[in-house]
Amino acid sequence: MAYEPRGDHGGPGPSHEGGFVRARGRRPVTDYGSTMAGWMGDRQPRYESSFDGELERPSASYIVNMPPPLARVTTPADSVPTKHLHSSLNKIKHPVNVVRWTPEGRRLLTASSSGEFTLWNGTGFNFETIMQAHDVAIRALAYSHSDDWLLSADHDGIIKYWQPNFNNVQVIQGHRDPIRDIAFSPNDSKFVTASDDSTLKIFDFAGGVAESTLQGHGWDAKSCDWHPSKGLIVSGSKDHLVKLWDPRTQRCLTTLHGHKNNITKTLFERVMGHCLATSARDQTARIFDLRMMRDICLIKGHEKDISTLTWHPIHPNLLSTGGNEGSLHHYLLNEPNTPTGQPNNPAVYESSDPLAAPAQSIFPAHKVPFAHDFAIWSLDWHPLGHILASGSNDRITRFWSRARPGDTDVFQDRYHIGEAAAEVQGTWDRRGGRRQRQEEEEQEAEDEMEGLIDQKMPLRQSASAFPGLPGLTLPANGIPPPPPQIPGVGGMPTTVPLHFPIPGANGGAPPPPPPLPGLDPNNPADLAKIAEMIQRSGFPPPPPPGMIPPGGFMPPPNFAVPPGFPPPPQVPTAADMASDSARRRAPLPSQEESLRMEQKKGNYTRVR
C-alpha cells in the first residue's frame, strides 16, 4: 500500500487567501502496479512453475514485492482479506444494497436504498461521482460478460440498461413486484430475474421482452444466477428451496432440500464451474457439487443469519460470507478448521460411498466479527482478487485486503476485537477515531462537491456581444460601429469636408466655455448653502440625479435611444414624490376566487 498527497497535508500555514488551513492526513492507496509488473517479469508457464521470484518474508521491505493472487493460485490462504483499508460513506447516507466492481477494476459502483449510483475510486477509495439512477431502492446489479452493459433492477420491478459511461439507453417493466436478483447468460443474449412474485423471468436482451417465465416456487424468489458456461439457472426462495432450471424448456431439473429457512443467496463458482454456494437464514451455508447433485460442505461459524456470500475470482476454494449482525467470515473449503471438541468429518470425496456420506463441516479460516455495525447486504471481489468490498445496512462501504508483510497489529484492531477491547489494547482511540471519522466525512464531502462541479457543463457563451440580439454589437467607447458596405459600391469616405471649422476636431481640446456673468471663477459658490436657502424659502427640493422635475421635457412615445447614448432620465411618478415612509401594499387575493378555482377542480364540493 502506498500513499498519495492529500491536499494541505503539509501542516498548518497561511493559505493563498491569507488565512490558515487545517492539515489533513495522507490518503492510503493500493498501488498494485509494481507487484503486477514484478510478477509479469518473473512468472513462468504453469507446467514449469507458478512463480520464480523471491519468496515473501515478514518484513516491511517486502511490501513492494507482494505477489498478486494470480502468482499464488495454489495458496488461497495468502489472499484472505484480514486488513481494513478504508471506509467510504456519502455526505447524505443511505443503506448500501449492492456493491459491484467495474469490469476493469478501476472503480467500485454502489447502489443505495435511495436509488443512487455512487462511484468510488478503486485505488484511493475516494468519492468520484453520484447520480440518481432510480426513483426507488435499487436491489440488483449485473455486468455483462463482454463488459459492455450494466443492468439494474429496483423495488418497483423496473429494469434499466446502462452503458459503461452510465448512459441510460432503455427502461423496461420487468415485474410488478420488487426484483431481488438479476444475472446474464453466458453469451449475454439473455438475462434472468428473480422477483417477489415467486417467479423467474428470462428476457431477450436485445428486444427487452420476456420470453419465458419459470414458475415453481411457493413464495418470494430471493436470488438467482446463471451458470458461467452452461445452460443452467439456479434460484432460491423464501420457501426454503433451491431449484435448478433448464432455460430452454423452462423445466425444473431438480430441487435441493438442505436449508431450514429463507434462502438469501445462490451463486455459482466462476473458476471451475463445478460448485454452487447457497446461504440461508438458518445460520448456515452449503456447497453443492453439480456433478453429484448433493451438498458436499456445510458452512458453519455464524451466530446469526447469513445475508450474502461471494466466491473469490482466482481461488475456487475461497468463500466469503456476510452475516446479519455485521460479521465477515472467510472459508477455505479444503481446510475444515475444526475447533477443539467438534467432530471432524472426512471429505465426501474421501468416503467409500460419496453419495451417502454426510456433508463435511467447514469452519471459518478467519473471522472479522465487527466488520460492520449492521447487516452486510453485498460482497464483491476486485477482478484481480486483492480487495474485497462490502456494503452494509450501516450506510458504509468498506474495503478489505490481506495484511502487508510486517503488520503485527492487524488482529488487534477494533474490527476484530471490538472498540472497547481495542481501546484497552491501545490500537484504537475513541476520540481520535471520531476526529478521523469527521475528517473522512469532510474529505468525502469535499470530493463530492468537486466531482459535482467538474460534471457541470460549461455555460455556452453567445457569439454576439449583445445577448439576446444576434448580430448586434455594443458601441465601443460610445462610438457606434460603421454600417456594412453595400456589395458593388465602393467604400464611403471616412471624413466629409465641411465649410466651417469644428472646435477640437483636429485632435486638440475644445476651448473652455465662457464664464457666467456675476460669478468669480476664483471664488466658486457653495452649492450646499444654495440648496439650504432654497429649502427655507419653501421651494421644492431639486430632483435626485437621473430624474427630471414634473412638467419638464417628456420624451415622445416609442422613443428609441440612438446607439452609444445614455438612456433618458426617468419621469417621477406620484409614488416617487411621496414620502419614503409611505408604502403601498398590493391587495390580498380573494379567498372566494381561490375557492371557486378549487371547486372547478373537484375539491371542497361537499358541505361539512
Side-chain angles (χ1 to χ4, degrees):
M1 177 183 294
Y3 292 92
E4 67 176 2
R6 188 177 176 181
D8 46 357
H9 68 280
S15 64
H16 298 288
E17 290 78 10
F20 285 83
V21 293
R22 185 175 59 182
R24 293 187 180 276
R26 297 178 297 175
R27 178 187 295 279
V29 298
T30 54
D31 181 16
Y32 51 85
S34 61
T35 60
M36 290 296 296
W39 168 69
M40 294 175 66
D42 297 334
R43 63 178 176 173
Q44 293 183 357
R46 290 279 181 89
Y47 61 87
E48 293 184 2
S49 176
S50 60
F51 185 68
D52 195 27
E54 186 178 2
L55 295 179
E56 181 181 315
R57 298 176 183 175
S59 174
S61 60
Y62 286 84
I63 292 178
V64 295
N65 296 323
M66 289 173 56
L70 286 170
R72 32 187 170 79
V73 180
T74 58
T75 56
D78 292 340
S79 300
V80 174
T82 60
K83 181 181 179 61
H84 169 259
L85 292 179
H86 187 75
S87 297
S88 299
L89 61 162
N90 293 84
K91 182 172 63 174
I92 302 177
K93 307 175 186 64
H94 297 281
V96 180
N97 292 337
V98 192
V99 295
R100 287 290 180 271
W101 287 94
T102 55
E104 77 283 356
R106 294 187 177 184
R107 297 171 181 85
L108 178 73
L109 174 64
T110 62
S112 66
S113 60
S114 62
E116 294 175 337
F117 279 169
T118 306
L119 275 178
W120 305 96
N121 189 276
T123 56
F125 316 120
N126 57 297
F127 170 86
E128 286 202 355
T129 185
I130 188 172
M131 62 177 294
Q132 189 69 38
H134 289 259
D135 296 333
V136 295
I138 302 174
R139 297 298 182 186
L141 294 175
Y143 272 100
S144 62
H145 297 84
S146 63
D147 303 338
D148 294 334
W149 295 98
L150 169 67
L151 290 178
S152 62
D154 63 14
H155 198 77
D156 287 344
I158 294 177
I159 303 172
K160 290 189 176 184
Y161 290 42
W162 304 87
Q163 291 177 330
N165 59 353
F166 295 98
N167 178 31
N168 183 215
V169 296
Q170 190 172 3
V171 180
I172 61 176
Q173 183 72 44
H175 295 262
R176 296 297 177 185
D177 291 331
I179 297 177
R180 297 295 178 175
D181 208 352
I182 192 169
F184 270 100
S185 64
N187 58 359
D188 296 336
S189 63
K190 305 180 188 303
F191 63 90
V192 62
T193 58
S195 173
D196 282 355
D197 58 7
S198 73
T199 65
L200 284 80
K201 287 186 179 181
I202 300 177
F203 290 82
D204 177 65
F205 178 77
V209 295
E211 291 186 342
S212 58
T213 302
L214 308 180
Q215 298 180 350
H217 282 292
W219 214 346
D220 301 353
K222 291 298 184 181
S223 179
C224 68
D225 193 19
W226 204 309
H227 195 278
S229 60
K230 296 179 175 60
L232 187 64
I233 294 177
V234 63
S235 63
S237 172
K238 289 180 66 175
D239 58 5
H240 312 172
L241 301 179
V242 177
K243 291 181 178 291
L244 296 174
W245 306 83
D246 183 359
R248 302 177 183 86
T249 61
Q250 298 89 47
R251 184 172 62 92
C252 178
L253 299 177
T254 185
T255 301
L256 304 176
H257 303 265
H259 292 284
K260 301 177 181 179
N261 211 322
N262 303 345
I263 308 297
T264 57
K265 189 67 176 178
T266 57
L267 195 63
F268 286 110
E269 194 268 318
R270 302 290 173 178
V271 180
M272 304 295 293
H274 298 327
C275 294
L276 165 69
T278 62
S279 62
R281 295 189 178 277
D282 56 3
Q283 305 177 12
T284 63
R286 291 180 180 269
I287 309 299
F288 293 87
D289 192 332
L290 300 177
R291 298 165 296 182
M292 303 171 62
M293 282 298 176
R294 58 149 299 174
D295 52 341
I296 58 174
C297 295
L298 177 61
I299 306 300
K300 296 182 178 181
H302 277 277
E303 299 178 358
K304 298 290 183 180
D305 303 338
I306 300 178
S307 53
T308 185
L309 54 82
T310 184
W311 292 94
H312 195 273
I314 307 299
H315 305 293
N317 56 343
L318 177 54
L319 183 73
S320 300
T321 61
N324 207 30
E325 80 284 5
S327 63
L328 183 62
H329 291 189
H330 307 287
Y331 298 86
L332 299 175
L333 302 185
N334 55 351
E335 298 180 7
N337 296 303
T338 306
T340 305
Q342 295 284 343
N344 188 7
N345 298 333
V348 174
Y349 304 111
E350 299 175 356
S351 175
S352 58
D353 188 4
L355 296 178
Q360 184 183 21
S361 298
I362 305 295
F363 292 88
H366 183 76
K367 297 181 182 180
V368 188
F370 305 97
H372 285 273
D373 296 335
F374 298 101
I376 300 177
W377 293 133
S378 181
L379 295 171
D380 195 38
W381 279 97
H382 190 278
L384 292 179
H386 68 295
I387 298 179
L388 175 66
S390 60
S392 170
N393 198 37
D394 61 3
R395 305 170 295 182
I396 298 178
T397 302
R398 286 199 167 104
F399 298 86
W400 311 85
S401 180
R402 57 156 294 186
R404 298 181 300 179
D407 287 346
T408 57
D409 57 349
V410 175
F411 303 131
Q412 303 297 324
D413 61 0
R414 67 187 184 99
Y415 301 104
H416 286 82
I417 60 178
E419 293 186 358
E423 194 171 4
V424 174
Q425 294 285 342
T427 58
W428 166 253
D429 181 13
R430 189 177 301 271
R431 183 176 301 176
R434 292 175 183 173
R435 183 172 60 254
Q436 180 182 1
R437 172 65 64 83
Q438 182 180 1
E439 291 182 358
E440 290 178 355
E441 291 181 358
E442 292 177 358
Q443 181 67 26
E444 299 298 348
E446 292 177 5
D447 294 341
E448 184 170 349
M449 292 300 298
E450 292 175 359
L452 295 180
I453 291 175
D454 293 341
Q455 294 176 30
K456 288 184 178 179
M457 295 184 62
L459 298 177
R460 182 176 300 176
Q461 299 292 338
S462 177
S464 63
F466 205 155
L469 297 178
L472 296 181
T473 56
L474 289 176
N477 299 327
I479 302 176
Q485 297 184 0
I486 303 176
V489 180
M492 299 180 63
T494 55
T495 60
V496 180
L498 299 177
H499 301 285
F500 54 90
I502 300 178
N506 296 327
L516 297 178
L519 294 180
D520 186 4
N522 298 325
N523 187 16
D526 192 354
L527 300 180
K529 293 183 178 180
I530 297 175
E532 185 178 358
M533 294 173 59
I534 293 175
Q535 187 175 5
R536 289 178 179 178
S537 61
F539 288 95
M547 302 287 289
I548 61 174
F553 170 75
M554 294 290 294
N558 302 326
F559 175 74
V561 181
F565 289 87
Q570 301 178 2
V571 180
T573 60
D576 298 330
M577 300 298 295
S579 176
D580 295 339
S581 60
R583 298 179 58 186
R584 299 183 60 187
R585 295 184 178 180
L588 296 176
S590 175
Q591 296 184 2
E592 296 181 358
E593 296 178 359
S594 302
L595 179 60
R596 293 195 191 97
M597 293 177 63
E598 293 293 333
Q599 288 179 348
K600 288 181 180 180
K601 298 179 182 179
N603 302 327
Y604 306 110
T605 56
R606 296 178 58 184
V607 180
R608 295 185 178 179

